[in-house]
Amino acid sequence: MSTTSKAENTGGWALAVLLGVLAAGAATRAVAAVTATTGPADGATLVKTYCGACHLPDRQGTLARIGDERKTPEGWVMTIFRMQNLHGLQLPATARDTIVRYLADTRGLAPSEAAPARFALERRPNVPDLALPGDLQRMCARCHSAARIALERRDAADWLKNANWHLAEFPTIEYQEGARDRHWWREASTKVPAELGRLFPLHTAAWAAWQRHAPIDLAGRWLVRGDEPGRGTYWGTAEIRRTAADEYRTTYRLRFADGQALDGQSHAIVYTGYEWRGTATLGDRSTHEVFAASPGGRRLSGRWFLDDHAEIGADWDAVRAGRAPRIVLVSPRAIRAGTSTRVTIVGEHLGGRVDLGAGLRARVVHRGRTSLVLQVDAAAHAAPGYRTVRVGGANAADAVAVYDRVDRLDVTPAYAIARLGGGKIDPVAAQFAVDAIEEIPGPASKPQAVHLGALPVAWSIGPFDAQAAHDRDVDFAGRIDSRGRFLPAGAGPNPKRPFHADNTGNLEVIATLPPGAAGRPTAVVGKAHLVVTVQRWNTPPIY
Ligand code: HEC
Ligand code: HEC
């Protein structure tokens, strides 16, 4: 039944896409693509106008249910989408955007409340979900993530109403797998709301404090560093201009370590005083930005991802430019003993003496405003391990590592899911990356792992087990490209497979570093597990 409900939902969501109303990816877009500038008063009026028809005022003067909950901008988008899709609410897009903004600002989450589940907002693929305590995980996090729940705040009475709605909308919820082995409804209507009300209550000290917090102005010059799995490290600057109360336009000057430019522009709205949601163009790609400003407004971090493929994206970390000398990044982060390497130190006010530590000799090739390019000679006998990098008054501990061989390749994610594409449904790719490791004797002669980051490896796939080998999954499920991205095949019954099976697969992803690059007589191999499964029918803003 859960599958049926989801399939039915898909129909609705697909229709919504056609009508340009609001849907899956479009819902996220809606969070970012607001143009109207309206103050809280307008939001409050619009809520009364559009929501007041069904939601009556309660004793506190707020509207029933609406005043009993707090959630993220994405959470509000999802609830309002349900009001439209299921309950027939007619709501113009501009009014919806203003309402989402108003609700996220007045009934949002404090930064510390959203922190543990940011991965879901950032739509990071293949991240293990939060684990809810006790029986909650089995009761509540089998259809959707626990993160979806942890990103809302309500008291027990409202959590109970949410359980009632679940039962009404998905009546078989009680006797599906994972529910029929217990008195599901008895638990869902007693223990669960009480426990959720304790774990995720409406009124918290964190939210009260955040509401008193002075507004943050993010305008200014920022230093940016990030990492795109499969593509590498990038860095540069962001000029952020404030265009309205909580709206910004940004110009990016970024480049990857290999020199390729990643320039671009974004338009962002900051919800709840810190939740940055942007729509950007980076190089030739259309992206979304889900960042959080630190409470002091000096750091902006999160993830950006492709408009139409949230699984492809990059970490983002920006710090406000200041007056003090500072190192924000050293690239590459590993230098092989006995070689001469071009190294870039990214930071500001990088004047003065350069010191990369024992066994490394640096010559300055170029001093820029936010970078310092060096030619670094690593002595053949330089001891493997981390080094502190010092430039004038700035220093960064463990910012660079010297290595003489690679002992291990960790492939991340260690376990991933990719999904077949077909018809109107795009495949969901899986992007892999490696972290090369040299093990050196550490304190108390325990081995210490020195992380060298991504080195150029060859990617391949193999069967995960004997069944996968027998079914020739490798031949049907898709292929992996030279940057470690697995591109799944199309979906549907395949006459070439036994029982006309789908192109699903159970695979091993293999990264190989050749003997020369590994500094040893044999190649070093790292592996991950990849399950290629059926299409993703429904892509809500919070899965
Ligand atoms: C046509 C009637 C109708 C309108 C208009 C309407 N709602 Fe609802 N709303 C409902 C019903 C019915 C429920 C209970 C079932 C559910 O949760 O879907 C509900 C539930 C909710 C809940 C609780 C959801 C939960 O997760 O437990 C919130 C919050 C909410 N509505 C917000 C809004 C907002 C904001 C608006 C205006 C933008 C709005 N509603 C407009 C009918 C409506
Ligand atoms: C049978 C599958 C299923 C189970 C089990 C389930 N949920 Fe849900 N839940 C859903 C679906 C589907 C939605 C999205 C519905 C929509 O918005 O149209 C949802 C939405 C939600 C939302 C977002 C609602 C909003 O509008 O803000 C919350 C919060 C939530 N569930 C909490 C829970 C809790 C708590 C439990 C355990 C009592 C639970 N869920 C168990 C399927 C399930």
Side-chain angles (χ1 to χ4, degrees):
M1 175 62 196
S2 135
T3 340
T4 319
S5 307
K6 280 193 177 152
E8 279 164 10
N9 270 354
T10 310
W13 289 52
L15 185 66
V17 180
L18 285 177
L19 298 175
V21 185
L22 172 70
T28 337
R29 220 160 302 155
V31 171
V34 184
T35 42
T37 308
T38 33
D42 302 294
T45 311
L46 289 173
V47 167
K48 277 202 197 89
T49 310
Y50 287 100
C51 319
C54 302
H55 292 265
L56 299 177
D58 57 21
R59 254 180 263 130
Q60 288 78 41
T62 53
L63 297 183
R65 308 300 312 276
I66 302 172
D68 299 331
E69 299 175 9
R70 293 193 284 118
K71 45 191 125 183
T72 58
E74 285 82 358
W76 283 114
V77 164
M78 286 175 72
T79 303
I80 293 175
F81 175 70
R82 187 164 77 251
M83 299 304 123
Q84 297 175 291
N85 188 38
L86 218 67
H87 307 313
L89 162 68
Q90 302 286 321
L91 185 63
T94 49
R96 180 204 57 215
D97 293 346
T98 308
I99 290 176
V100 168
R101 221 157 143 168
Y102 167 73
L103 292 173
D105 286 352
T106 54
R107 304 179 206 303
L109 300 191
S112 61
E113 293 175 321
R118 294 210 70 78
F119 66 88
L121 301 173
E122 294 167 353
R123 304 179 68 154
R124 290 182 187 269
N126 300 306
V127 173
D129 192 12
L130 296 179
L132 296 176
D135 212 22
L136 284 176
Q137 196 73 20
R138 292 278 287 174
M139 289 292 295
C140 297
R142 63 185 152 88
C143 301
H144 49 70
S145 64
R148 184 184 286 184
I149 300 168
L151 288 169
E152 300 212 358
R153 293 294 180 278
R154 313 158 178 237
D155 285 335
D158 198 78
W159 282 115
L160 173 61
K161 287 180 181 147
N162 178 264
N164 272 287
W165 158 70
H166 273 80
L167 186 67
E169 192 175 341
F170 316 112
T172 59
I173 197 168
E174 285 185 276
Y175 40 89
Q176 289 163 3
E177 149 73 23
R180 57 177 174 255
D181 54 349
R182 66 199 67 211
H183 295 291
W184 194 86
W185 178 243
R186 192 192 294 167
E187 228 185 284
S189 55
T190 54
K191 269 164 61 186
V192 167
E195 209 169 342
L196 290 175
R198 266 194 306 274
L199 283 170
F200 308 120
L202 183 64
H203 302 283
T204 61
W207 177 241
W210 182 249
Q211 282 184 300
R212 289 192 304 270
H213 190 275
I216 301 170
D217 182 354
L218 296 170
R221 234 172 125 259
W222 296 69
L223 303 178
V224 177
R225 63 177 162 199
D227 192 68
E228 183 179 346
R231 192 65 191 74
T233 306
Y234 66 88
W235 61 80
T237 56
E239 286 296 339
I240 303 184
R241 280 168 299 125
R242 191 170 186 165
T243 52
D246 284 321
E247 282 184 50
Y248 297 91
R249 289 197 180 265
T250 308
T251 306
Y252 301 120
R253 286 192 200 296
L254 310 170
R255 65 180 186 84
F256 282 106
D258 66 7
Q260 197 182 318
L262 186 68
D263 293 340
Q265 257 140 48
S266 95
H267 175 203
I269 293 182
V270 172
Y271 296 85
T272 331
Y274 71 99
E275 289 282 11
W276 172 290
R277 299 292 184 272
T279 308
T281 321
L282 272 182
D284 56 2
R285 301 188 283 183
S286 296
T287 61
H288 282 295
E289 302 168 333
V290 177
F291 305 156
S294 65
R298 306 206 60 81
R299 187 168 203 152
L300 196 54
S301 49
R303 179 173 182 261
W304 55 263
F305 48 86
L306 301 192
D307 194 14
D308 49 358
H309 276 273
E311 75 273 23
I312 305 300
D315 287 320
W316 172 273
D317 188 22
V319 288
R320 202 184 269 280
R323 293 213 189 90
R326 171 163 54 178
I327 296 168
V328 299
L329 174 80
V330 179
S331 172
R333 56 190 260 211
I335 300 171
R336 194 167 170 189
T339 64
S340 180
T341 309
R342 192 54 66 99
V343 172
T344 304
I345 299 182
V346 182
E348 53 184 343
H349 314 296
L350 298 176
R353 216 175 80 81
V354 178
D355 177 17
L356 300 192
L360 297 177
R361 238 190 26 234
R363 180 168 57 81
V364 175
V365 177
H366 175 76
R367 264 184 215 272
R369 192 173 167 201
T370 53
S371 67
L372 186 59
V373 180
L374 310 171
Q375 190 65 33
V376 178
D377 295 325
H381 58 268
Y386 293 116
R387 303 285 193 279
T388 294
V389 174
R390 293 188 177 82
V391 183
N395 66 69
D398 297 349
V400 77
V402 176
Y403 71 104
D404 56 7
R405 47 156 223 276
V406 173
D407 293 319
R408 206 170 82 218
L409 279 181
D410 281 358
V411 178
T412 52
Y415 173 66
I417 284 178
R419 288 176 180 274
L420 301 170
K424 287 188 189 134
I425 306 212
D426 261 2
V428 178
Q431 177 69 57
F432 294 90
V434 289
D435 182 17
I437 287 161
E438 172 161 12
E439 273 171 355
I440 60 170
S445 45
K446 282 210 186 105
Q448 184 202 346
V450 180
H451 294 267
L452 313 173
L455 296 180
V457 294
W459 291 99
S460 58
I461 50 173
F464 185 75
D465 58 15
Q467 187 66 47
H470 176 264
D471 295 341
R472 296 197 289 123
D473 287 359
V474 169
D475 299 338
F476 295 107
R479 63 184 182 84
I480 194 159
D481 74 8
S482 62
R483 291 185 184 278
R485 184 176 302 176
F486 181 83
L487 303 155
N494 187 344
K496 295 199 185 108
R497 304 202 78 176
F499 311 114
H500 290 214
D502 207 346
N503 288 322
T504 52
N506 189 13
L507 304 176
E508 193 170 69
V509 167
I510 306 151
T512 308
L513 191 66
R520 30 168 73 244
T522 53
V524 178
V525 170
K527 288 180 181 179
H529 186 190
L530 170 67
V531 170
V532 186
T533 185
V534 297
Q535 285 141 291
R536 199 183 215 316
W537 298 102
N538 191 336
T539 311
I542 303 173
Y543 40 77

